Amino acid sequence: MKADFVSTPAADSQHGSTPALIEKEIIGSGERRLSGKCRRVLEAFLGSCVGVTLCDPERELGGMIHFLLPEPISPTMSLYASRYASTGLPKFLDDLVRAGARKEHLRACVAGGALVGEVSAFDLNLDIGGRTSAVVERILSEQQIPIARMETGGFFTCKMSLDLSNFKTSIEPVMDQDFARAERTEPRPFELDRDFPDLMRHLKPIPQVALKILRMIDDQNCRFADIADQVKQDQTISAKVLHICNSTFFGRGRKVDSIERALTVLGERNLIKFIVSAFLERFLFSTAGGYSICKGGLYYHALATAQLGERLARLTGVSRPDLAYTGGLLHDIGKVALDQFVAASRPLFYRQVISRRRSAVEVEQELIGIDHTVLGAMIGDSWGFPDSLREVVLHHHAPERARHQQPLVRLIHLADLIMARFAPGYELERIDSTDLDRRLQALGLAPDRLREVVDQVPSGTTDLV
Ligand SMILES: [Fe+2]
Ligand SMILES: [Fe+2]
């Protein structure tokens, strides 16, 4: 069982880039981090979630915690204390004091709790972010810890940073200011006849063996032995799968050194997830940064949507969990292709999305002439995606248009929407959720179960595969 006290690897030092002098570490939802003085900056991207920094500068101790919900939805959730303000904040305080901080020296900063995206009366009623902030304020007041800065509510995603070299916290809006100031640069329109063949030549291809596995998953009768044989033929992927197994689930001394051993420990379904994710990392990680504000953002967004989709499939029973996982992983595949177009005109793109409150799909159509759902489906067609995946890719922003796999598409739509609100740093999507209650009901979920849905959001990046 994983502890909830986890930290992500430094975003800037992943995947072989030169280590930065000041290391940045992203604190994902449900994670907390405590540290002494050092040259590192902790960062959290906060939409509806609430982030808190607590520091004792005299003792040179401080940290950050990132809450998803005000309180656990059931007592059994206490294993993941950091996800909830009511359980995580007392634990975090306790950790600080045990590490040597003096309670009377502690100063707090609080941020997040926004209503990101279009807001419905249903959202205002439920007000998850507002209630999480209220629990944080109550606990800090009971513990007589002053709040040096509090920026909660509003309608925008913000970035909260804690500089551990001086224990100063900064809170800034993620998109609106930078993008409003920047110059207007028109993107080059996508010309289908010229750009699509060019794109397919230059796009890092998904290996044939990965496509074969995706089709096997779509086919209910797939045999794991066939998949395992395919994986063993690709040494890089075998190594990657074993690395993920060893680093994610198991402590030292219980090394998983073969696909057979991984199968025994994880079971078929989990191992297939690891395999598909490992294949797609190579493809999804290779973006220029048009759709994301952190390195690898699209890949993490894909993994998180996959993980949440799979959990929601189990919760609702409307779709096979393994199909929901692969659907979540691939839903935004068109963004990998459009990323370079968006990156070239990011300020203009996001000014349209944010200040004019329009969906990314509409803005893509207007500025580039094609959107990521249509382009994604074209890529899927040329690679021979199974029909279920094609429908997810094409209709995940308008699930009512799906003809054959509507429950699956609705599920991925909901997972995407929830991730856009509760893990907004990985991908800058803005999804209309004015009729969120109707979207829940279409999956057989009563509107008051939204908190239960949010509770399925994976914690940080370590909970993603
Ligand atoms: Fe999308
Ligand atoms: Fe998405």
Side-chain angles (χ1 to χ4, degrees):
M1 183 62 66
K2 259 176 295 180
D4 72 324
F5 184 73
V6 287
S7 62
T8 59
D12 286 351
S13 62
Q14 283 178 5
H15 296 269
S17 62
T18 315
L21 276 178
I22 294 180
E23 203 180 337
K24 285 184 181 173
E25 183 175 0
I26 293 179
I27 307 300
S29 51
E31 292 182 335
R32 66 182 193 273
R33 185 75 164 139
L34 188 158
S35 172
K37 189 172 177 173
C38 63
R39 287 176 67 75
R40 192 186 314 153
V41 175
L42 306 181
E43 288 183 346
F45 295 101
L46 304 164
S48 300
C49 289
V50 172
V52 177
T53 61
L54 272 175
C55 296
D56 174 352
E58 282 187 39
R59 296 285 173 109
E60 298 188 329
L61 273 168
M64 182 184 281
I65 187 163
H66 183 158
F67 301 121
L68 195 61
L69 284 166
E71 65 273 314
I73 55 168
S74 85
T76 54
M77 294 296 172
S78 56
L79 277 170
Y80 296 96
S82 295
R83 294 165 72 83
Y84 316 100
S86 67
T87 53
L89 192 49
K91 209 162 185 350
F92 189 39
L93 264 169
D94 206 40
D95 286 344
L96 273 159
V97 171
R98 273 193 290 150
R102 299 272 302 271
K103 213 164 111 186
E104 57 274 28
H105 292 164
L106 288 171
R107 297 286 176 272
C109 292
V110 187
L115 287 161
V116 179
E118 301 304 315
V119 177
S120 63
F122 172 63
D123 273 311
L124 291 170
N125 261 343
L126 211 66
D127 189 18
I128 287 177
R131 289 179 43 238
T132 309
S133 311
V135 171
V136 167
E137 268 191 281
R138 176 180 54 76
I139 294 172
L140 290 173
S141 152
E142 283 166 6
Q143 297 294 326
Q144 300 179 316
I145 294 171
I147 300 177
R149 191 170 171 197
M150 179 151 186
E151 291 193 23
T152 54
F155 299 94
F156 296 108
T157 296
C158 72
K159 181 171 82 173
M160 185 183 217
S161 311
L162 172 61
D163 186 339
L164 291 168
S165 68
N166 56 18
F167 296 100
K168 291 209 165 115
T169 298
S170 64
I171 302 163
E172 53 191 332
V174 161
M175 290 178 273
D176 53 342
Q177 282 184 351
D178 284 358
F179 295 144
R181 272 199 305 269
E183 283 173 35
R184 184 188 170 93
T185 316
E186 297 280 353
R188 182 170 70 76
F190 189 87
E191 288 175 28
L192 208 55
D193 292 347
R194 183 195 63 196
D195 287 329
F196 190 66
D198 199 43
L199 186 73
M200 295 309 289
R201 266 195 306 277
H202 290 103
L203 215 54
K204 239 181 203 172
I206 293 184
Q208 279 305 314
V209 57
L211 292 169
K212 204 164 166 182
I213 292 172
L214 289 174
R215 286 193 283 269
M216 282 174 163
I217 294 170
D218 190 60
D219 172 5
Q220 291 251 35
N221 303 315
C222 82
R223 285 182 46 236
F224 182 79
D226 296 336
I227 294 179
D229 283 346
Q230 296 285 338
V231 171
K232 282 185 227 159
Q233 287 168 28
D234 186 325
Q235 286 190 357
T236 319
I237 288 299
S238 295
K240 176 85 194 162
V241 169
L242 297 180
H243 175 74
I244 297 175
C245 291
N246 285 311
S247 60
T248 309
F249 276 104
F250 310 104
R252 281 170 203 161
R254 295 189 60 197
K255 208 161 168 50
V256 177
D257 52 8
S258 68
I259 297 293
E260 282 79 10
R261 169 81 182 131
L263 174 63
T264 315
V265 181
L266 293 172
E268 282 187 13
R269 292 288 159 206
N270 278 329
L271 186 51
I272 290 174
K273 274 168 49 184
F274 278 32
I275 292 167
V276 178
S277 308
F279 273 122
L280 289 175
E281 181 183 0
R282 290 196 281 202
F283 178 74
L284 291 167
F285 218 91
S286 60
T287 49
Y291 286 102
S292 178
I293 41 180
C294 61
K295 193 172 166 65
L298 268 188
Y299 176 59
Y300 294 128
H301 169 70
L303 282 180
T305 309
Q307 186 71 279
L308 181 58
E310 184 194 43
R311 291 174 183 180
L312 294 183
R314 290 216 175 87
L315 188 74
T316 60
V318 302
S319 172
R320 276 172 46 207
D322 50 353
L323 273 187
Y325 187 88
T326 48
L329 207 53
L330 290 160
H331 73 286
D332 272 338
I333 201 162
K335 285 189 175 170
V336 178
L338 274 192
D339 195 71
Q340 52 179 315
F341 289 82
V342 173
S345 58
R346 235 170 98 116
L348 176 63
F349 189 85
Y350 286 106
R351 192 161 46 210
Q352 296 274 354
V353 171
I354 301 301
S355 51
R356 302 215 183 147
R357 296 182 166 240
R358 301 173 65 200
S359 75
V361 169
E362 270 182 310
V363 179
E364 286 162 356
Q365 282 163 351
E366 187 182 300
L367 294 183
I368 309 171
I370 193 165
D371 69 64
H372 71 276
T373 62
V374 173
L375 190 56
M378 287 173 66
I379 295 170
D381 286 346
S382 63
W383 283 343
F385 271 15
D387 290 346
S388 58
L389 278 183
R390 188 186 187 279
E391 280 219 303
V392 167
V393 171
L394 185 59
H395 297 307
H396 69 273
H397 285 272
E400 58 286 349
R401 292 192 197 145
R403 297 198 165 184
H404 307 295
Q405 295 278 354
Q406 203 174 91
L408 171 67
V409 181
R410 285 190 180 281
L411 198 80
I412 300 305
H413 173 80
L414 181 65
D416 196 21
L417 189 157
I418 298 292
M419 291 316 301
R421 286 181 165 215
F422 290 89
Y426 300 134
E427 194 235 22
L428 302 171
E429 185 66 274
R430 188 183 185 93
I431 300 172
D432 183 358
S433 57
T434 40
D435 56 355
L436 186 54
D437 47 350
R438 194 175 58 79
R439 289 169 198 271
L440 288 166
Q441 275 165 343
L443 292 168
L445 293 165
D448 61 3
R449 294 183 71 190
L450 179 63
R451 281 198 319 140
E452 211 179 319
V453 168
V454 174
D455 201 46
Q456 309 291 319
V457 168
S459 288
T461 52
T462 47
D463 191 22
L464 290 182
V465 284

